[in-house]
Amino acid sequence: MRVIGLDSATQVASVAVVEDDKLLAELTFNMKKNHSERLMPMLALMLEEINLTLDDITGFAVAVGPGSFTGLRIGLATMKSLAYVKDKPILAVPTLDGLAANLEGCQGIICPILNARRNEVYTALYRWTGNGHRRLTKYMATGLATLAKIIANEGGEVTFLGDGVPVYREALEDLIPQARFATSGNSICRAAHIARLGLDMLKEGQVSDYFSLEPLYIRESEAEVKWREKQQNGQSI
Amino acid sequence: MKAKKGFTILALESSCDETSAAVVVDGTEVKSNVISSQINTHQKFGGVVPEIASRKHLENITPVVEKALRQGNVTLEELNAIAVTYGPGLVGALLVGVSTAKAMAYALNIPLIGVHHLAGHIYANFLVCPNLKLPVICLVVSGGHTSLILWKDHGDYEMLGSTRDDAAGEAFDKIARALGLGYPGGPLLEKEALKGDPQAIVFPRAWLEEESFDFSFSGLKSSVLNYLNRAKQMDEEVNIPDVAASFQEAVVDVLVTKTVKAAVEKGIDTITLAGGVAANQYLRQRLLADAKRHGIKIICPQLIYCTDNAAMIGCAGYFQYLQGKTSDLNLNAIPNLALY
């Protein structure tokens, strides 16, 4: 079984191919450049270098979010279309699951955080179980103070990673003095994990529909939120 | 570049609030043209919300493509190229179409053709008139554009003039909103104007400099808004159909006069229309009458090809392909893309 993974949820553009237990290739750029310009050429280059075509691929795994709305849409539109044309399974891997997989064997709580702006992060808590990561919370967009409380309730050590770290590191150190932070190379989204987790999902039959798969946005659009607030205020008056 | 007979293009359009896919054969034979409108989604916001439009496009695009292929009775393997709008438009909306088109072109190993949205509107004239002979004058009027173009040859445009402020369609939408007619304003205002007297109120026409083919609608818009405000302050009742008709008259007057003048000055015997406002029947009638007096022929795309649709992109894409203008996999969405 061969699965292509793709992650474009953050500034990082990453594509990979796994073949059963083996990572065949991974191409990752951590530079500000449009995903739209870069992703397809990266994917084409990667397959060419390992002498594979899309016909050799069993499934398409994509990081579905949370993350940058635009980045997610580029990734999903790309992978849904590949899966559609080749009529192969598409596998929806949450971005945070892929990120947590960067820290294997890590003691205590693993807490990936992605910058969600408006002083919030996209996050979920995980623990290493010996042969995978167990997610302890739902996927959420939350402020740091709330996150610190959730972590305190779980207890024990915590290691943060993700593109929220450079932005919120100082604030987190103030809230959680014993907090640890992954080194920057282990802090970025990597398609190798998306591909591997996707392959696991494929084996378990957790396949999504390439017609209807949507990002895990977590947040509604601002216009929707404002409209509802207006409706509620209107009703209360 | 040569294209074999039966050259089949799948075209995608997602620049604003319609998700559309079409199958077009040999440039002008429309096998299918599926348009999924988001009007109902955006109605409650009084206009298009970019983030919501982008979300809807992603939700719609693959089913719309599948429907276009099914209706066109074409399989994926029979496609010879993919054409897609890559600008101008809402960037997040464009990106859905562009990303889809690139992945499909790569997976099918066929050429990708990035098409300018306005080129699509302009080429819609080939769908109604496949033997159209260039050069022609083209009046492009939509919610985002008002331009007079000398369309010299395939892919060769000379901009004679364009709006210096609001697009004509934008003015229609704003006045429709001020009159409480709702969204989308253009068609609703036109309907209201049918019941009114176009001579009831004299709103200003911006002719600009003698030799200029540019347009300006912000002065007219302000004048109508002032008229409404004054009436409100004086507690006078406003005759909405009269305001709508008089406003429309002012817009159409300028559009028609300048377009016919451009054709006469440049010695061109055919005028073509393009863009959403080209669906306005009053504009069509007035242009037809005025052009006839000068022996000028008018060509108007069918209504369905005036508003945003993918068939027009497939048509423009075909002629672009014949010129060898295809795109690479690094094609990006360009929100403010220039026509040339």
Side-chain angles (χ1 to χ4, degrees), chain A residues 155-170:
Chain A
E157 300 166 301
V158 59
T159 307
F160 290 99
L161 74 162
D163 75 358
V165 169
V167 186
Y168 296 114
R169 183 170 182 145
E170 280 181 26

Side-chain angles (χ1 to χ4, degrees), chain B residues 312-335:
Chain B
M312 66 183 195
I313 301 300
C315 178
Y318 175 76
F319 289 101
Q320 214 176 296
Y321 177 81
L322 294 182
Q323 293 190 308
K325 293 180 188 164
T326 56
S327 310
D328 295 326
L329 288 181
N330 64 0
L331 180 72
N332 198 6
I334 304 177

Side-chain angles (χ1 to χ4, degrees), chain A residues 34 36-37 40-41 43-44 47 54 69-70 73-74 76-78 80-82 84-86 210-211 213-215 217 219-221 223-224 227, chain B residues 44-45 49 51-52 54-55 58-59 62-63 65-66 69 76-77 92 95-96 98-104 106-108 329-333:
Chain A
N34 288 319
S36 169
E37 280 176 58
M40 272 314 301
L43 205 143
L47 288 179
L54 291 177
F69 296 163
T70 300
R73 279 192 288 265
I74 293 170
L76 264 81
T78 302
K80 280 168 68 165
S81 303
L82 295 179
Y84 165 64
V85 170
K86 293 298 171 188
Y210 51 63
F211 282 116
L213 180 64
E214 283 187 56
Y217 288 115
R219 274 193 191 146
E220 286 183 294
S221 71
E224 197 75 48
W227 183 83
Chain B
K44 68 179 182 186
F45 303 106
V49 180
E51 171 60 21
I52 294 175
S54 308
R55 289 184 181 202
L58 183 64
E59 198 180 309
T62 319
V65 165
E66 172 75 3
L69 293 176
L76 283 164
E77 291 69 30
L95 279 169
V96 174
V98 168
S99 304
T100 301
K102 290 199 297 186
M104 288 190 72
Y106 173 70
L108 292 165
L329 288 181
N330 64 0
L331 180 72
N332 198 6

